[in-house]
Amino acid sequence: MSQVTSTNQANLHIEISGQGPDLVMLHGWGVNSAVFTPLHESLSQYRVHYVDLPGFGHSQMVEGGLSTWVDTLVAALPEHAIWAGWSLGGLVATQAALSYPQKIKGLITIASSPCFMAREDEAWPGIPPQVLNQFREQLGQNLPKTIERFLAIQAMGSETAKEDIKRLRDLVLARPLPNTRALTQGLNMLTDVDLRQQLIELQQPWLRIWGRLDGLVPKRVPPKMPITAQSEDVMLAKASHAPFISHQQEFLQVFMPWLALQTR
C-alpha cells in the first residue's frame, strides 16, 4: 500500500495512504495519527489522510484556538472528503463541518462529545473539571507520565484494557511527544468548547460511534444529542474510549458500510 506525506504551508504532517474517495482521520488529545495504524489495511480502498493535529506527532504547532486549527486543516486537506474524528479529533471535525459545510461531505465522530467537560448546572455528563485541571497541572512536571495516565483512562472499562494501553502507548511513542503548548490548547478546547447549540445546523450525513463503557464520554451523552434525518448513532456495548483499538472488528462493521453508503 503506497504512502506519501503531503507538503503544506502550515507544516502539518499528513500521511496519505490507499486509493479511492477521500477520508480524513483525526486523532485525540495527547496522541498522534499513528493510533490509526491498525486500520490502514481495512481502509485501503479509500485515499486516507492521516493527520497529526497541530503540535502533535510530526506537525508544527499553530497559535490560536479551535477555529484556527480548523482553518489550518481545511486549507491543507482536499475538499468533499469525509472527516472522521476520534475524541478531541471529533470536536475538531464537527467544528470543521459546521464552519465549512460546502467542503466537508460527511462526518464521523468516534467516542466524541460536542461538550467534553461535565456541566453540573445543566446535568450535562462529561469529564469532571478537576480531572482536566489535574492534567493541566501535570503537563509542566512530567510529560511522558501525563500522556501515559491519559492513555490509561482511555482504555479503562475495556476487558482488554492492559493490552489496549500497551498498543496505544507503543503506537503513539513511535513519534515525538506533543508540544506542551499544543497539549494546553487541546485541554482548553476540551474544557471550554461547547458546540451543543450549533449541532442542529449540521447538514452532512453524520455517524456517531460510542462506547458504552467510556469513562470520558459517558453513555448518558448519546441520548442528549440532537436526532436529525442525517444522523445515526451506534453504541458498542463492550467498548470504552478507543473502540477502534479494543473492538476493531465491531468498529469496522459499523464504520465500513456507512462509508460505502456515502461514497458510492
Side-chain angles (χ1 to χ4, degrees), residues 4-8 11-16 49 76-77:
V4 293
T5 304
S6 85
T7 49
N8 49 74
N11 282 328
L12 285 178
H13 180 82
I14 303 171
E15 273 179 22
I16 303 163
H49 305 258
L77 289 159

Side-chain angles (χ1 to χ4, degrees), residues 115-183:
C115 175
F116 273 86
M117 196 169 81
R119 317 254 166 180
E120 283 175 22
D121 52 334
E122 304 169 47
W124 176 262
I127 307 171
Q130 62 270 26
V131 171
L132 289 170
N133 288 334
Q134 275 173 355
F135 279 115
R136 194 173 267 109
E137 284 164 23
Q138 288 164 356
L139 275 181
Q141 296 161 13
N142 186 333
L143 186 55
K145 197 174 175 190
T146 307
I147 300 290
E148 198 143 326
R149 263 200 66 215
F150 193 67
L151 293 180
I153 290 177
Q154 305 197 30
M156 222 167 46
S158 161
E159 290 169 358
T160 52
K162 261 192 180 151
E163 300 94 281
D164 298 349
I165 295 165
K166 187 180 182 316
R167 283 188 78 192
L168 279 166
R169 192 176 58 215
D170 290 349
L171 290 167
V172 166
L173 296 182
R175 289 192 186 170
L177 282 170
N179 177 303
T180 309
R181 276 161 66 209
L183 285 166

Side-chain angles (χ1 to χ4, degrees), residues 86 110-111 209-211 236 239-248 251:
W86 168 49
I110 304 154
I209 302 176
W210 314 90
L236 299 181
S240 58
H241 193 63
F244 58 92
I245 295 278
S246 63
H247 294 78
Q248 192 178 327
F251 173 80

